[in-house]
Amino acid sequence: MNAGIIEWECPSNIALIKYWGKKSGQTPANPSLSFTLSNCISKVKVEYEYDPSGMLSPEYEFDNLPGLFKQKITDYLLEITPIMPFLQHLRLKISSYNTFPHSAGIASSASSFGALALAICSIKEEITGSEIDQHSFFRTASYLARLGSGSACRSVYGGYVMWGFHDKIPGSEDEAALPLQEIGPPFMSLRDSILVVSSMTKPVSSSKGHELMKTNPFGSARISQAVSNMKQILDAIRSDNLNEFFRVIEEEALTLHAMMMTSSPGYILLLPGTLEILEKIREFRSKSGLAMGFTLDAGPNVHLIYPQSVETEIKQFIADRLIQHCENNLVIHDRVGTGPVRKI
Ligand code: PMV
């Protein structure tokens, strides 16, 4: 085929065991685990046309804002061209759109690189006229997404997804993510209410944060902790132990921020509102006995995680006690999702 249009929708993901610090070639210093979300989605449409003159110079539009991220996407396409050489003979028009507010302070790089990588794999199938098996298709998409943004490699699968070699997990590898099978109903039903404390762009990017881990004096202890927490969280999931699961994810969230504070130079992404929310969650949990726990991304927003069975009570708690700490009362209710979908 000489021309066509492909569109993929790919969700974001929230890490439970955090990828923080990398080795060369955008491979992770430690294994990580996330679940893929359902509502926070990037839609990426790619129109392609055969153009033998080459010169990769895509048209790119993000949320109808031409210019934003164009250079980043052009650099990415140039980087993956040695792996996907057909790209140099295509004229590309890419438009990317997020279902979650652009200004919610929620990173969209995982979902947008996930969707773009899937679209590139679909284009390859169309122009070569040969379909590859599902496993190879998604592994290649995960591999390509990783080169755009590490955490993006987990977003090309639904449910619970790990990335990074772990000697106790067969099939785990640094190059691409691995979807985990047979996760029990309490974990597949988990909700994630994202409490948006601030939508400001972070003062220190994740790329810089990963870089600073190279000289963090606690770096090697952190890697050992992540390896051990990965085993502990999988044991908790396999034995339906929600309390243990929440203990591990909170330890991971707090360690992530401790790593930022102990980097040189150290920095703090938590805000007063973040700390108020964390304290209230722990207080409400111990009074009510309800199953819940929090995690944090590399930013001030809190992800409150809980099973579907307590959704009514937790939404009431958010409305009564937490929403006051959110910017413009913004809370995004999401849940474990089933993964990306090809739309066109
Ligand atoms: O994929 P990056 O380079 O944006 O890094 C993501 C880092 C965290 O979100 C903090 C953790 C993770 O595993 O997603």
Side-chain angles (χ1 to χ4, degrees):
M1 207 180 277
N2 279 337
I5 303 181
I6 306 267
E7 185 178 77
W8 273 90
E9 289 186 0
C10 183
S12 187
N13 69 75
I14 177 66
L16 306 166
I17 303 293
K18 308 291 181 181
Y19 149 55
W20 200 240
K22 54 177 120 176
K23 299 183 288 195
S24 63
Q26 185 96 318
T27 54
N30 62 265
S32 60
L33 172 74
S34 58
F35 64 68
T36 298
L37 295 171
S38 179
N39 301 330
C40 291
I41 286 174
S42 291
K43 300 171 187 231
V44 171
K45 186 162 89 179
V46 183
E47 294 169 55
Y48 68 91
E49 196 176 347
Y50 181 64
D51 178 0
S53 63
M55 290 297 289
L56 196 59
S57 165
E59 279 182 55
Y60 182 76
E61 196 177 89
F62 175 76
D63 271 357
N64 298 323
L65 299 167
L68 200 63
F69 303 134
K70 183 173 174 357
Q71 194 54 49
K72 198 172 170 183
I73 296 297
T74 307
D75 293 347
Y76 170 67
L77 292 170
L78 284 170
E79 192 188 334
I80 64 168
T81 298
I83 310 164
M84 295 276 163
F86 64 91
L87 284 174
Q88 62 197 309
H89 301 302
L90 293 182
R91 195 158 349 116
L92 299 175
K93 186 173 171 205
I94 305 170
S95 42
S96 181
Y97 166 82
N98 292 338
T99 58
F100 45 104
H102 174 46
S103 59
I106 299 174
S108 63
S109 56
S111 48
S112 42
F113 277 111
L116 181 56
L118 286 158
I120 290 166
C121 290
S122 294
I123 293 173
K124 183 177 179 196
E125 276 193 341
E126 283 197 359
I127 57 171
T128 57
S130 61
E131 268 189 35
I132 57 170
D133 64 278
Q134 286 271 100
H135 170 80
S136 308
F137 179 91
F138 283 98
R139 188 190 172 277
T140 306
S142 178
Y143 177 97
L144 287 182
R146 185 196 100 225
L147 299 174
S149 162
S151 56
C153 74
R154 299 184 308 239
S155 265
V156 306
Y157 299 106
Y160 286 69
V161 186
M162 71 155 299
W163 169 43
F165 175 74
H166 191 294
D167 64 0
K168 298 279 181 300
I169 306 171
S172 62
E173 54 164 328
D174 285 350
E175 305 287 314
L178 175 73
L180 300 182
Q181 312 297 332
E182 291 165 32
I183 304 289
F187 293 95
M188 287 311 283
S189 88
L190 284 185
R191 280 19 189 177
D192 175 8
S193 291
I194 309 168
L195 302 148
V196 180
V197 176
S198 169
S199 61
M200 297 259 291
T201 308
K202 344 179 246 213
V204 180
S205 69
S206 286
S207 308
K208 183 75 191 156
H210 289 296
E211 183 62 33
L212 287 170
M213 281 304 285
K214 292 198 173 122
T215 52
N216 188 302
F218 304 102
S220 62
R222 162 59 197 152
I223 294 170
S224 310
Q225 181 199 38
V227 171
S228 151
N229 276 348
M230 178 66 90
K231 178 161 182 337
Q232 291 182 45
I233 202 168
L234 292 179
D235 288 346
I237 292 172
R238 306 283 183 222
S239 58
D240 274 351
N241 189 340
L242 269 175
N243 289 339
E244 172 66 0
F245 174 88
F246 290 133
R247 185 192 68 72
V248 177
I249 67 169
E250 291 187 6
E251 183 174 294
E252 280 289 312
L254 296 177
T255 303
L256 171 69
H257 285 267
M259 290 299 110
M260 298 175 198
M261 293 178 206
T262 53
S263 288
S264 181
Y267 60 103
I268 303 174
L269 298 184
L270 304 176
L271 291 173
T274 317
L275 300 179
E276 300 255 23
I277 291 174
L278 301 190
E279 211 166 282
K280 286 182 179 179
I281 291 172
R282 287 189 160 177
E283 181 197 88
F284 181 62
R285 179 172 56 201
S286 81
K287 275 198 191 136
S288 68
L290 295 175
M292 72 186 91
F294 63 79
T295 187
L296 301 158
D297 238 334
N301 303 329
V302 180
H303 291 246
L304 178 52
I305 315 284
Y306 50 92
Q308 181 186 17
S309 55
V310 296
E311 187 164 13
T312 311
E313 294 89 332
I314 302 279
K315 283 192 169 162
Q316 192 60 52
F317 164 57
I318 292 173
D320 293 343
R321 307 275 322 277
L322 304 183
I323 204 160
Q324 58 193 278
H325 302 294
C326 298
E327 187 180 88
N328 302 322
N329 291 341
L330 183 59
V331 180
I332 297 172
H333 295 292
D334 213 329
R335 52 182 294 178
V336 178
T338 50
V341 178
R342 182 168 170 184
K343 302 304 280 188
I344 304 177

